[in-house]
Amino acid sequence: MARLKQLWSSFLVLAVVVIGAGAVPITYLESAVAKGAVCLDGSAPAYHFDKGSGSGVNNWIVHMEGGGWCTDIATCVQRKSTMKGSSKLMNKDFGFSGILGGKQSTNPDFYNWNRIKVRYCDGSSFTGDIEAVDPSNKLFFRGARVWRAVIDDLMAKGMSNAQNAILSGCSAGALAAILHCDQFKSILPKTAKVKCVSDAGYFIHGKDITGGSYIQSYYAKVVATHGSAKSLPASCTSSMKPELCFFPQYVAQTLQTPLFVINAAFDSWQIKNVLAPTSVDKSKAWKTCKLDLKKCTAAQLQTVQGYRDQVLAALAPVRSDTTSGLFLDSCHAHCQGGSAATWSGDGGPTVANTKMAKAVGDWFFERSTFQNIDCSSLNCNPTCPAVSTED
């Protein structure tokens, strides 16, 4: 229980909201409630929509918010009293920046597109779908319905005329972008160019410090609690256990839609929760190290370096697909495309002398391919932020 609470707490940093000039107001999708497409507490889904203009009027980027998962009744009850489980508690305005930014100078390829931030309030990466609601806890596990209701609403608001479209996200939202990628393409017009972008969503089926895979058991609980199996890609679940189809490395093997992966080889969330989860660190030897890698022993740093090897192996289906893109930096970070500084400015890393904004833009518009892996050791790249970023 304590471990699950820690996992949830560690993801609250992903709820950082930038409020200020140009903030985009919230839209509550009240019409979805009658369809049972609701947040954990039964409230309406929500999103923020900044309309496109000029050459971008028929181009769309749908970006899904991150914020972890809840794995059982207790953690989902806890979550529904936060903005990650109830739209009633969400901030009313959201400042768009990074990949959603509206300035040509910082987001040259997508600044005038229709840009949507889908709020995350289901705790299942938009995969849950259980009809029954237990009156004792009044939890609604309806993430998959929320996703479809939002997409259908956007289609009615003009996305049915899309010429170019991207499904993207950060962290748990980026995982959702991968899981729903082919479905998104199938809904959009056949004439549209449709691709997906994952920022820090490539969670690997990794081994932890004991040699086991805590993250597999964790995802198995998510899938069971939310009834996610039927919403996961059938091309994966037809040959694997449902919980394995929460891992991008298996979904990517049969993915039909082009995918661009932005990830840190030493992803800060994965180091803490996939490699060294508290529940398997019985001696607490990793308690300080995983929060500040400067405090790791030489042996621990060697283990962290070994995690990069696991990441590279898991990325094999992306690296072997010529339509895919990859920006793998050697930073200790998580979610790097959310601000103008990290997306295209001096605050974010370059890989192959390229900022991620240019890499994604060149790949999407097929000006050039981009599959590049950074130097091999932790923070060997001087353009990595000095402090771990978790937007």
Side-chain angles (χ1 to χ4, degrees):
M1 179 64 176
R3 174 62 189 145
L4 295 175
K5 285 183 178 179
Q6 183 185 9
L7 275 173
W8 159 238
S9 298
S10 71
F11 257 98
L12 286 178
V13 292
L14 298 178
V16 174
V17 175
V18 181
I19 305 289
V24 181
I26 198 167
T27 297
Y28 297 102
L29 191 51
E30 297 291 352
S31 62
V33 176
K35 303 172 187 174
V38 293
C39 300
L40 279 171
D41 71 334
S43 58
Y47 61 81
H48 303 257
F49 182 8
D50 199 3
K51 292 185 178 180
S53 62
S55 61
V57 73
N58 287 320
N59 299 335
W60 296 72
I61 180 163
V62 180
H63 184 86
M64 288 173 288
E65 185 178 34
W69 308 272
C70 58
T71 57
D72 54 21
I73 298 302
T75 55
C76 291
V77 166
Q78 179 187 24
R79 188 182 181 99
K80 80 170 184 174
S81 62
T82 73
M83 67 177 178
K84 295 297 183 183
S86 172
S87 62
K88 296 175 183 177
L89 301 173
M90 292 174 182
N91 49 295
K92 303 297 189 289
D93 298 285
F94 211 113
F96 279 11
S97 60
I99 195 172
L100 290 176
K103 293 182 179 179
Q104 186 174 9
S105 59
T106 56
N107 192 26
D109 283 309
F110 311 118
Y111 75 97
N112 64 350
W113 286 31
N114 294 281
R115 289 159 289 113
I116 296 94
K117 175 100 168 185
V118 183
R119 301 304 296 270
Y120 183 35
C121 64
D122 63 272
S124 70
S125 284
F126 298 90
T127 62
D129 192 359
I130 294 177
E131 180 65 33
V133 178
D134 187 335
S136 66
N137 56 53
K138 297 179 181 177
L139 285 169
F140 294 79
F141 299 109
R142 306 285 178 76
R145 296 193 203 183
V146 166
W147 184 82
R148 187 58 196 252
V150 169
I151 297 302
D152 286 347
D153 192 57
L154 295 175
M155 290 291 283
K157 290 180 177 176
M159 197 163 70
S160 58
N161 298 316
Q163 295 172 348
N164 296 291
I166 291 174
L167 184 66
S168 67
C170 154
S171 194
L175 173 59
I178 297 172
L179 298 178
H180 287 291
C181 186
D182 281 345
Q183 185 184 9
F184 183 67
K185 181 175 173 57
S186 73
I187 295 169
L188 273 285
K190 286 183 169 50
T191 54
K193 182 195 293 280
V194 180
K195 299 186 180 185
C196 301
V197 177
S198 165
D199 179 9
Y202 209 92
F203 298 95
I204 70 166
H205 186 202
K207 291 183 179 180
D208 59 44
I209 53 175
T210 68
S213 182
Y214 173 82
I215 192 65
Q216 180 180 339
S217 62
Y218 181 81
Y219 277 162
K221 291 176 184 176
V222 174
V223 170
T225 297
H226 291 267
S228 299
K230 59 181 174 288
S231 303
L232 297 171
S235 57
C236 180
T237 56
S238 62
S239 59
M240 290 189 173
K241 294 178 181 178
E243 62 265 27
L244 292 180
C245 296
F246 235 68
F247 292 105
Q249 67 200 79
Y250 303 125
V251 175
Q253 291 176 7
T254 54
L255 195 65
Q256 299 298 304
T257 308
L259 170 69
F260 195 104
V261 173
I262 301 168
N263 233 88
F266 304 98
D267 182 283
S268 54
W269 192 89
Q270 294 196 47
I271 296 296
K272 286 185 285 190
N273 300 294
V274 179
L275 178 63
T278 300
S279 61
V280 304
D281 182 24
K282 303 300 183 183
S283 66
K284 298 184 179 180
W286 284 79
K287 183 178 180 180
T288 302
C289 161
K290 68 182 183 178
L291 298 177
D292 182 356
L293 299 187
K294 293 177 182 176
K295 297 180 180 178
C296 296
T297 65
Q300 287 173 324
L301 285 175
Q302 189 172 5
T303 301
V304 170
Q305 186 67 40
Y307 191 77
R308 178 182 181 273
D309 297 332
Q310 293 193 61
V311 171
L312 289 176
L315 281 165
V318 174
R319 297 169 67 188
S320 64
D321 180 5
T322 57
T323 71
S324 295
L326 176 62
F327 186 103
L328 186 74
D329 60 63
S330 291
C331 308
H332 182 230
H334 185 73
C335 283
Q336 300 176 88
S339 73
T342 53
W343 174 241
S344 60
D346 294 335
T350 61
V351 174
N353 296 313
T354 307
K355 292 291 184 182
M356 62 186 75
K358 186 177 189 306
V360 173
D362 285 349
W363 164 82
F364 183 86
F365 287 108
E366 295 161 16
R367 296 187 291 251
S368 66
T369 58
F370 193 94
Q371 280 209 20
N372 284 286
I373 296 169
D374 206 356
C375 50
S376 60
S377 59
L378 175 66
N379 285 332
C380 56
N381 184 338
T383 65
C384 285
V387 180
S388 167
T389 57
E390 294 201 358
D391 293 348

